[in-house]
Amino acid sequence: MRELTISAAEQNQRLDKYLKKYLNKAPGSFIYKMLRKKNIKLNRAKAEGSELLNEGDKVQLFLSQETIDGFRETVSIRKVPFPEVVYEDAHILIVNKPAGLLTQKAEKMDLSLVDEILYYLEQTGKYDPSDTTVKPSVCNRLDRNTSGLVLAGIDLAGLQFLSQALKDRSLKKEYLCIVCGCLDKPLHLKGYLKKDEQANQVKLLSLPGKDTVPVETYFTPLSGNGKLTLVKADLITGKTHQIRSHLASAGYPIIGDTKYGDEKANRMYRQKYGIKHQLLHARYVTFPDSGGIFQYLSGQSFSAPLPEHFAQCMLGENLHEKDSK
């Protein structure tokens, strides 16, 4: 028999979810069968799996050592570079993702921001790979060729707080981008997005249809030179390629965007400034007013420094980030 004590980092989750993380190779059917047969108990009593765990609770596994070990897979950590940390506390981590790096790996051997975060937290003593019940994870994603702020939960409380703030849209996200054309007044764009999974591309439609999702974005011009405009984007919804496709559909493609952009303009500014990725940067996040243990984050804003080529283009084209906040 093995007895597990629920820590502060593991509380406020359902028992069945905790068990699926601890026995991370076991099928759900096995876990529920063991609960029904009382081979897994909570505080020495029969449990259904829907119980919410509290700090100090005891979970008893009346299973052989061989069975437990067979259903547990320890996460292996790759030795990779550390991420650029913007903010860190006991619960959350905010990092600045460079353009060209995947947020999460698509193939097994890919290098991703998640790999960097896990290695950093393991090396700084905030994550133990042998503990499969709480795994740090990113809560928002950026396209590979988009740079800027990515938020990660270190423990369960951080994961739940960030996920809820993103879900209810109370966490404010602002992006900067440089677009072709002279945008001289704010744009409030709405539409319906349909994703082509095979092409990894989206289409914007004016009316809802099969497999479409509503999208909404505010765009504010900050400065321009008659040919290019520095634009602030405020996401109301956050869907795949939303900013890029919305701007392109309105006639203001982002410089460096190979999917939705202007090929001639991309070639010109690549030669002029060495731009290899779309000039779209997740610049700011602002936290909502919060109670409880996250009250200290209420109203706080964090920003990510601009990538070199983004800053060079702004300087060379006399574009300024004035009044962006």
Side-chain angles (χ1 to χ4, degrees):
M1 189 271 283
R2 181 176 296 182
E3 184 171 78
L4 309 170
T5 302
I6 302 303
S7 68
E10 295 167 332
Q11 66 180 336
N12 296 323
Q13 62 179 313
R14 285 170 53 121
L15 172 61
D16 52 1
K17 289 188 176 182
Y18 170 84
L19 291 168
K20 288 174 184 178
K21 293 172 186 174
Y22 187 79
L23 302 172
N24 54 5
K25 292 177 64 178
S29 58
F30 172 81
I31 289 172
Y32 291 115
K33 181 179 179 180
M34 293 301 98
L35 286 166
R36 287 195 305 272
K37 295 182 70 173
K38 301 181 186 178
N39 288 336
I40 300 178
K41 292 184 176 182
L42 176 61
N43 297 321
R44 297 281 175 175
K46 186 178 186 301
E48 301 294 329
S50 59
E51 295 83 358
L52 199 64
L53 296 173
N54 296 303
E55 183 179 3
D57 280 346
K58 308 285 187 181
V59 178
Q60 291 83 30
L61 306 178
F62 295 93
L63 305 170
S64 69
Q65 184 69 41
E66 182 180 5
T67 298
I68 293 173
D69 291 344
F71 281 135
R72 279 176 59 78
E73 181 178 22
T74 302
V75 177
S76 59
I77 301 296
R78 292 173 66 180
K79 187 175 181 180
V80 294
F82 281 178
E84 181 185 339
V85 176
V86 172
Y87 174 78
E88 178 181 6
D89 62 33
H91 306 289
I92 70 168
L93 180 72
I94 305 176
V95 300
N96 182 21
K97 185 188 86 69
L101 179 66
L102 288 166
T103 303
Q104 295 174 307
K105 62 180 65 184
E107 304 291 340
K108 186 176 181 180
M109 296 309 296
D110 286 340
L111 172 64
S112 71
L113 183 66
V114 169
D115 293 316
E116 294 187 355
I117 288 172
L118 291 178
Y119 182 63
Y120 170 76
L121 293 174
E122 190 265 341
Q123 289 293 300
T124 54
K126 289 194 172 182
Y127 171 53
D128 179 0
S130 66
D131 180 7
T132 60
T133 61
V134 179
K135 182 180 179 181
S137 179
V138 294
C139 295
N140 67 308
R141 290 190 296 175
L142 297 178
D143 296 336
R144 174 187 284 224
N145 293 323
T146 298
S147 57
L149 295 173
V150 174
L151 299 90
I154 296 174
D155 60 5
L156 185 64
L159 287 165
Q160 291 176 337
F161 169 71
L162 290 175
S163 297
Q164 184 59 43
L166 288 163
K167 182 179 179 180
D168 63 24
R169 302 174 188 170
S170 59
L171 188 143
K172 187 176 181 182
K173 296 182 290 182
E174 297 180 15
Y175 293 70
L176 287 185
C177 55
I178 299 177
V179 304
C180 295
C182 180
L183 177 61
D184 56 6
K185 60 182 180 181
L187 283 177
H188 178 197
L189 299 181
K190 296 182 180 181
Y192 297 88
L193 184 148
K194 184 171 184 176
K195 187 174 182 181
D196 182 338
E197 295 286 353
Q198 285 190 331
N200 189 28
Q201 200 161 354
V202 301
K203 290 183 178 180
L204 271 171
L205 307 173
S206 58
L207 297 174
K210 184 180 179 181
D211 299 324
T212 63
V213 291
V215 289
E216 184 177 2
T217 325
Y218 285 100
F219 297 104
T220 306
L222 301 179
S223 64
N225 63 6
K227 296 180 180 179
L228 299 178
T229 309
L230 178 66
V231 176
K232 181 182 73 167
D234 294 284
L235 283 177
I236 308 304
T237 57
K239 303 301 180 183
T240 302
H241 300 179
Q242 177 179 325
I243 293 174
R244 297 160 61 190
S245 59
H246 242 166
L247 282 167
S249 70
Y252 303 100
I254 294 175
I255 296 297
D257 189 343
T258 57
K259 281 188 182 291
Y260 308 100
D262 183 290
E263 184 177 346
K264 183 178 178 181
N266 289 346
R267 185 166 55 249
M268 180 196 314
Y269 291 106
R270 183 167 58 248
Q271 292 171 352
K272 195 171 182 180
Y273 300 111
I275 293 168
K276 299 177 182 178
H277 308 289
Q278 62 231 15
L279 296 185
L280 175 61
H281 183 67
R283 181 65 157 146
Y284 298 102
V285 294
T286 302
F287 283 90
D289 290 336
S290 306
I293 64 171
F294 291 102
Q295 187 173 5
Y296 65 94
L297 285 174
S298 294
Q300 284 208 52
S301 294
F302 299 93
S303 63
L306 290 169
E308 181 182 358
H309 292 145
F310 200 122
Q312 286 178 345
C313 185
M314 285 177 59
L315 181 64
E317 300 298 321
N318 196 29
L319 303 174
H320 307 284
E321 199 182 335
K322 57 186 178 182
D323 301 323
S324 63
K325 285 297 288 172

